[in-house]
Amino acid sequence: MGLFFPVDPAPGAKIGGMIAMSCSGTNAYRYGTMKEWVISLTAVLADGTVITTRKRPRKSSAGYDLTHLIIGSEGTLALVTEAVLKVTPLPTNLHVGKATFPSLQAGVDTAIAILKSGHLLEAIELADKPSIASINHSKLAKEHFEETPTMFVKFAGSQETVSSQISFVKNTCKDNKGLEFEASSDKRRIDVIWGARKCIGNALVTMKKAPTDIFISTDAAVPISAMAELIKETNNIIESQPFDTSTWFCANVGHVGDGNVHTAIVCPVEDKEKAEQVLVEVQRLALRLEGTITGEHGVGLKLRDMLVEEVGEAGVGVMRALKKTLDPRGILNPDKVFRLEGEKGARTGRLEKL
Amino acid sequence: MGLFFPVDPAPGAKIGGMIAMSCSGTNAYRYGTMKEWVISLTAVLADGTVITTRKRPRKSSAGYDLTHLIIGSEGTLALVTEAVLKVTPLPTNLHVGKATFPSLQAGVDTAIAILKSGHLLEAIELADKPSIASINHSKLAKEHFEETPTMFVKFAGSQETVSSQISFVKNTCKDNKGLEFEASSDKRRIDVIWGARKCIGNALVTMKKAPTDIFISTDAAVPISAMAELIKETNNIIESQPFDTSTWFCANVGHVGDGNVHTAIVCPVEDKEKAEQVLVEVQRLALRLEGTITGEHGVGLKLRDMLVEEVGEAGVGVMRALKKTLDPRGILNPDKVFRLEGEKGARTGRLEKL
């Protein structure tokens, strides 16, 4: 019917999980996240009460925004059973582009120049050299890509809009030491280029040298103005480790259109703690840059002890109070997002006792 | 700096109130409401605790969405002291258009055809004949307008986009019995046309015949597919009143781009109850059409006893539980949005006791 649901997370995501995590993906810069595309929810509370957060108006100011309270609550407040979603007309005249750079910084500078220009592309993604190497290594893409930092972009709209955007992006790449630039509306070429971008998540996992190797990644997001520093300092953090990282594989891939960068590490399982500590440092860096520890993946168990660094004791305190009000016995996905019992819970290992 | 904050309520709105009511206005169809344009809030809770809902990332999945819990809570959950807002590039190549119709239905049909086409205009507003008459009567606009249903539209983007949108809208008006159409990028003409649209709220109030006359209005919003029925049935409700409405002035003005229609009544103060009952019927109609009793104005005192018809006892019950958790003594804007004591409160008149 010429319509689509624009939230575009990694392949495999389901609507329920997307609501739970308030997820997004490559289209978030242009279209927003689940927060912007869910109109209402029907959900079962811990005591069996069924609520419908609203009917189907495109907008509403009727009482507290229970829809958004549930989106991103990771199953801890209610069990979602129905969702009303918005759809929007499919982009017309779709073109996909790819630009290569001698350094990741050059790619970041280009992306920021595009964002500042006011040209509203459909998507702006950036992958560093190791990410591109993982695509080639995985054989998940339909061609071999030159292993250098690469920007993936999408254009849509009238012919004049797209032509002017493509020419602006091409010139901006050139001004920022760009190596090669191509853009195409050919369906097969779009599949090859965008397919390469979309496979990166799976491609990174194929960099494991042993089946026991671990794959972990960050989900930091910062204001656009701080993105260059996030990427530069992230590399500094990894390179300055005092221990042997020669057996590690590290890559950065970013939804640079909205300041969200995933730093991935594949390493031997015996380095797990060290690698996790590196990611914690990257997350703290994101917070110093006024960003978030998770732009789209959610908190879960992994980030729950860092959430307090983002929203403070007071913020987590409010979340915990809301949880206790709606789920006093703690039966819905307990101890995710934050520990039900607070710091005391951390010490006594409440999870084991449940 | 070439940027703007796109939420565009009636003149006089302030950022604090806009957050409190989750307001929107003529740009909501294109840009969304306050829900989409507030990044984070700093707020003082009832017990003096200060929370900051997040830092400044464009998106975040870090814990419960306290930002959206506070937006639209009408001062009942927290006192907002700081807000981080998003801005976006100013629309380029702005054109404003005006189309007249022999009937309001023809205007609604035209608006729906534009919405379905996928052409994304900047704004689509519709005013009925009495609304236009009020503009002339008020002398708030810079010229006299023909008193017939009128659609106001805004276009922006590349020259090709705007040309193609204007030609599509012009033809769609013609296909739907449109009388006259004009579009202009001349600054003075934009001021005249858009100024007329923006003055309607104040113009309607000038239709009071006596200083004691009352002005009341609805804020119903329905799915786009139900908008034609909302407007048709609203007129039926007003026309079918068994009592004398000859001294009343009724008008409909709508943010038709997002299905939000304000039905206004100006009438003698002695008809207050009857007029309010008519508006209640219109609000119930909106609910039957799967809409909301308030698209952008909020609940306050006026709609608090109807909120339950929209979100059910269970929905209001959750809101009341959240309120009691965050403000157990009920000191923040008490009894707004819903009665603190529930139906019992309605009977005992809690407001007076506070």
Side-chain angles (χ1 to χ4, degrees):
Chain A
M1 297 173 72
L3 300 167
F4 83 128
F5 182 69
V7 184
D8 178 46
K14 302 285 194 299
I15 296 290
M18 290 162 74
I19 292 167
M21 315 318 287
S22 184
C23 90
S24 44
T26 65
N27 287 344
Y29 141 72
R30 170 68 179 79
Y31 293 94
T33 70
M34 287 301 278
K35 289 186 172 76
E36 284 77 43
W37 292 91
V38 175
I39 286 182
S40 76
L41 297 170
T42 298
V44 184
L45 304 183
D47 66 358
T49 306
V50 178
I51 61 167
T52 296
T53 57
R54 55 183 79 262
K55 298 176 194 285
R56 300 198 298 120
R58 281 175 63 95
K59 67 180 190 189
S60 173
S61 292
Y64 301 168
D65 188 346
L66 303 181
T67 314
H68 280 98
L69 184 63
I70 294 174
I71 297 172
S73 67
E74 307 189 17
T76 63
L77 294 180
L79 187 72
V80 174
T81 56
E82 283 180 46
V84 178
L85 309 177
K86 271 190 265 193
V87 288
T88 198
L90 273 165
T92 54
N93 191 24
L94 183 70
H95 284 61
V96 159
K98 180 170 79 72
T100 50
F101 297 91
S103 68
L104 191 59
Q105 191 59 50
V108 173
D109 293 343
T110 304
I112 289 175
I114 296 167
L115 293 170
K116 282 190 176 166
S117 73
H119 284 287
L120 189 58
L121 275 54
E122 291 285 303
I124 309 179
E125 301 280 309
L126 189 63
D128 68 358
K129 179 176 167 170
S131 298
I132 303 297
S134 80
I135 297 176
N136 290 335
H137 178 262
S138 74
K139 301 194 172 38
L140 289 169
K142 289 177 183 166
E143 70 174 41
H144 184 92
F145 286 81
E146 195 196 331
E147 296 183 5
T148 190
T150 301
M151 188 171 75
F152 298 87
V153 283
K154 269 188 186 170
F155 310 92
S158 71
Q159 192 52 55
E160 193 194 5
T161 299
V162 170
S163 302
S164 112
Q165 288 181 349
I166 289 177
S167 121
F168 179 83
V169 170
K170 189 175 177 176
N171 289 333
T172 309
C173 289
K174 209 175 289 174
D175 294 347
N176 287 282
K177 307 179 198 153
L179 302 173
E180 280 180 39
F181 176 82
E182 73 161 293
S184 175
S185 61
D186 177 71
K187 196 176 169 329
R188 280 165 305 183
R189 199 71 203 129
I190 289 176
D191 282 350
V192 169
I193 296 173
W194 208 255
R197 167 60 193 91
K198 289 294 285 184
C199 81
I200 292 178
N202 289 331
L204 291 171
V205 178
T206 70
M207 299 308 289
K208 288 183 179 183
K209 282 173 195 140
T212 53
D213 278 5
I214 60 160
F215 169 84
I216 56 175
S217 68
T218 63
D219 179 36
V222 294
I224 304 299
S225 54
M227 195 166 51
E229 191 161 352
L230 174 70
I231 290 180
K232 198 180 72 183
E233 287 300 316
T234 294
N235 282 328
N236 287 347
I237 287 170
I238 293 172
E239 282 165 18
S240 68
Q241 291 309 312
F243 47 85
D244 178 21
T245 55
S246 64
T247 57
W248 291 22
F249 171 82
C250 303
N252 292 287
V253 56
H255 308 305
V256 286
D258 57 16
N260 185 200
V261 179
H262 303 305
T263 299
I265 296 176
V266 177
C267 69
V269 65
E270 50 270 28
D271 285 348
K272 184 160 186 270
E273 266 183 47
K274 285 174 183 167
E276 282 173 349
Q277 197 49 44
V278 168
L279 296 194
V280 165
E281 280 188 53
V282 174
Q283 284 144 3
R284 293 215 165 108
L285 166 65
L287 293 179
R288 281 199 305 280
L289 298 170
E290 298 184 78
T292 175
I293 54 175
T294 174
E296 58 182 23
H297 291 175
V299 174
L301 292 169
K302 197 176 65 174
L303 294 176
R304 65 180 176 176
D305 291 326
M306 280 202 78
L307 182 61
V308 67
E309 298 182 32
E310 177 158 345
V311 297
E313 291 283 356
V316 177
V318 169
M319 294 179 195
R320 192 176 282 119
L322 299 177
K323 165 76 173 169
K324 286 194 173 160
T325 300
L326 295 183
D327 178 18
R329 294 194 299 144
I331 62 174
L332 294 172
N333 213 11
D335 282 320
K336 304 288 167 57
V337 186
F338 46 79
R339 293 171 196 268
L340 295 179
E341 310 278 317
E343 286 312 308
K344 185 169 134 278
R347 281 194 300 272
T348 60
R350 170 162 171 89
L351 250 190
E352 281 68 32
K353 290 196 298 180
L354 283 170
Chain B
M1 296 173 73
L3 300 167
F4 83 128
F5 182 68
V7 184
D8 179 47
K14 303 283 195 300
I15 296 291
M18 292 163 72
I19 292 166
M21 316 315 289
S22 185
C23 89
S24 44
T26 65
N27 287 343
Y29 141 72
R30 170 67 179 81
Y31 293 94
T33 70
M34 287 302 278
K35 289 186 172 75
E36 284 76 44
W37 292 91
V38 175
I39 286 182
S40 76
L41 296 171
T42 297
V44 185
L45 303 182
D47 68 357
T49 305
V50 178
I51 60 167
T52 295
T53 58
R54 56 182 79 261
K55 297 179 194 281
R56 298 197 299 120
R58 280 175 64 94
K59 66 181 191 190
S60 172
S61 291
Y64 301 167
D65 188 346
L66 303 182
T67 314
H68 280 98
L69 183 63
I70 294 174
I71 296 172
S73 67
E74 308 191 16
T76 64
L77 295 180
L79 187 73
V80 174
T81 55
E82 284 180 44
V84 178
L85 309 177
K86 271 191 261 194
V87 288
T88 197
L90 272 167
T92 55
N93 192 22
L94 183 69
H95 285 60
V96 158
K98 178 170 83 71
T100 52
F101 297 91
S103 68
L104 191 59
Q105 191 60 50
V108 174
D109 294 343
T110 303
I112 291 175
I114 295 168
L115 294 170
K116 282 190 174 166
S117 73
H119 283 288
L120 189 58
L121 275 55
E122 291 284 303
I124 310 179
E125 300 281 309
L126 189 63
D128 67 0
K129 180 176 165 170
S131 298
I132 304 297
S134 81
I135 296 176
N136 290 334
H137 179 261
S138 74
K139 300 194 170 42
L140 289 170
K142 288 179 184 164
E143 72 176 34
H144 184 91
F145 284 82
E146 195 196 331
E147 295 183 5
T148 191
T150 302
M151 188 171 76
F152 298 87
V153 283
K154 268 187 186 172
F155 309 92
S158 71
Q159 191 53 52
E160 192 193 6
T161 299
V162 169
S163 302
S164 112
Q165 288 182 348
I166 288 177
S167 122
F168 179 84
V169 170
K170 190 176 178 176
N171 289 331
T172 308
C173 289
K174 212 176 286 173
D175 293 347
N176 287 281
K177 308 178 198 154
L179 302 172
E180 280 180 36
F181 175 83
E182 71 161 295
S184 175
S185 61
D186 177 72
K187 199 178 165 327
R188 279 164 308 181
R189 198 72 203 128
I190 289 177
D191 282 350
V192 169
I193 297 174
W194 209 254
R197 166 62 194 91
K198 290 295 283 183
C199 80
I200 292 179
N202 289 331
L204 291 171
V205 179
T206 71
M207 299 310 288
K208 290 184 179 181
K209 282 172 194 140
T212 54
D213 278 4
I214 59 159
F215 169 84
I216 56 175
S217 68
T218 64
D219 180 35
V222 295
I224 303 300
S225 55
M227 195 166 50
E229 193 163 350
L230 174 69
I231 289 179
K232 199 178 71 184
E233 288 300 317
T234 294
N235 282 328
N236 287 346
I237 288 170
I238 293 172
E239 282 165 16
S240 68
Q241 290 310 309
F243 46 86
D244 179 21
T245 56
S246 63
T247 57
W248 291 23
F249 172 81
C250 302
N252 292 288
V253 55
H255 308 306
V256 288
D258 57 17
N260 186 200
V261 179
H262 304 305
T263 299
I265 296 177
V266 176
C267 69
V269 66
E270 51 270 29
D271 285 349
K272 184 162 186 268
E273 265 184 47
K274 286 174 183 168
E276 281 174 351
Q277 197 50 44
V278 169
L279 296 194
V280 166
E281 281 188 51
V282 174
Q283 283 145 4
R284 291 215 166 106
L285 165 66
L287 292 179
R288 281 199 305 280
L289 297 171
E290 299 185 77
T292 175
I293 55 174
T294 175
E296 58 182 24
H297 291 174
V299 174
L301 293 168
K302 196 177 64 174
L303 295 175
R304 64 180 176 177
D305 291 326
M306 283 203 74
L307 182 61
V308 67
E309 298 181 34
E310 177 158 344
V311 298
E313 291 283 358
V316 177
V318 170
M319 293 179 196
R320 192 176 282 119
L322 299 176
K323 165 75 175 172
K324 284 194 174 160
T325 302
L326 295 184
D327 178 19
R329 293 195 299 145
I331 61 173
L332 293 172
N333 213 10
D335 282 319
K336 303 290 167 56
V337 186
F338 46 80
R339 292 172 196 269
L340 293 180
E341 309 278 317
E343 286 311 308
K344 186 168 135 277
R347 283 193 297 273
T348 59
R350 173 163 169 91
L351 250 189
E352 280 69 32
K353 291 197 302 184
L354 283 170

